[in-house]
Amino acid sequence: MIKIDLQEIRYVESLKEYVRIVTGDQSIVTKGSLQEFEQMLMDFGGLRIHRSFLVNVHHIQTYSA
């Protein structure tokens, strides 16, 4: 079992019935849904940018339209 500080999550990627959680120094794949993480990350800046990606807006460095 690995503990992850929710504020350290940069993005979460949906991989069918699994999700990839990416922080600054690690990438972890676990069973779960993007919806579960979307609810957990709401208070920490979680933003769904695609049906397969959820990002933490506090870790966005640049944006281009």
Side-chain angles (χ1 to χ4, degrees):
M1 185 162 289
I2 300 171
K3 279 184 133 180
I4 301 172
D5 183 0
L6 293 178
Q7 295 174 349
E8 296 299 316
I9 294 176
R10 296 198 176 194
Y11 69 89
V12 181
E13 177 184 7
S14 175
L15 304 169
K16 296 192 180 181
E17 68 228 25
Y18 292 89
V19 291
R20 174 179 294 131
I21 305 161
V22 178
T23 66
D25 58 349
Q26 57 184 313
S27 175
I28 301 157
V29 176
T30 187
K31 194 166 181 112
S33 73
L34 202 58
Q35 285 182 343
E36 293 170 342
F37 282 92
E38 187 172 21
Q39 291 175 356
M40 282 190 282
L41 289 174
M42 266 187 183
D43 296 333
F44 297 101
L47 176 66
R48 193 153 191 173
I49 60 165
H50 184 269
R51 69 179 208 192
S52 298
F53 284 91
L54 174 67
V55 299
N56 185 337
V57 296
H58 299 292
H59 290 281
I60 295 174
Q61 295 177 357
T62 61
Y63 171 76
S64 176

